[in-house]
Amino acid sequence: QQQVKQSPQSLIVQKGGISIINCAYENTAFDYFPWYQQFPGKGPALLIAIRPDVSEKKEGRFTISFNKSAKQFSLHIMDSQPGDSATYFCAASPGTSYGKLTFGQGTILTVHP
Amino acid sequence: EPEVTQTPSHQVTQMGQEVILRCVPISNHLYFYWYRQILGQKVEFLVSFYNNEISEKSEIFDDQFSVERPDGSNFTLKIRSTKLEDSAMYFCASSAMGYNEQFFGPGTRLTVL
């Protein structure tokens, strides 16, 4: 019940296309949902995050869509660029904890020029 | 821009040896975390630390592990007797508030031979 399931495992997109990564959770205590971007050899970097009081959050080319009833959330990367090629992790945290993050398995995104 | 720093970047040790991984969190942050990532796998929570004590730990964080904030700036993870399966990237993270964004360091790659 603590798991966060992420799909797809890998994604190839052409430059300018839309990248979509999906996550699903079961623990209804989760109420903070960040996305992290990780380049090889680097630590995860916070990209964008959402709380369940809104259904969508947009920051530049990155949008999180959140469906509370379905317990799903997704990351959309508009106008994908080769520089977006990285591993993306969704995560979730319950409000009752001291911020413990449960991560998804990760999605390796490759954007071809 | 403030960032989390970690030393060393790579640590090689023999099985059974003790290692100490060091982290300097962002200076005004109050919550500190250790996560690990086995090569090619997802990031896993180890422990959270607040107000000079452990607030939460995972089942991975057994008696071989300990954390300490020896002064006002450093946060350390000690593994008393390393095992082959401890080989992983270890990430330190910090946040201003427990229910808030976590910022990750670049990681320490631990190799146990």
Side-chain angles (χ1 to χ4, degrees), chain A residues 47-88:
Chain A
L47 197 58
I48 186 172
I50 197 168
R51 300 194 191 276
D53 51 344
V54 296
S55 60
E56 187 175 281
K57 183 174 180 180
K58 184 175 181 180
E59 290 184 0
R61 295 185 293 110
F62 301 92
T63 300
I64 299 179
S65 297
F66 185 80
N67 186 329
K68 188 174 181 177
S69 59
K71 290 183 282 189
Q72 294 175 348
F73 59 110
S74 60
L75 176 70
H76 292 63
I77 306 174
M78 311 299 288
D79 187 27
S80 299
Q81 300 295 313
D84 297 330
S85 297
T87 300
Y88 292 80

Side-chain angles (χ1 to χ4, degrees), chain A residues 31 36 46 51 98-99 105, chain B residues 33 37 42 98-99 101-102:
Chain A
D31 63 356
Y36 282 84
L46 180 65
R51 300 194 191 276
Y98 285 87
Q105 287 291 115
Chain B
Y33 311 85
Q37 184 179 32
K42 67 178 180 180
Y99 191 52
E101 292 91 337
Q102 291 181 32

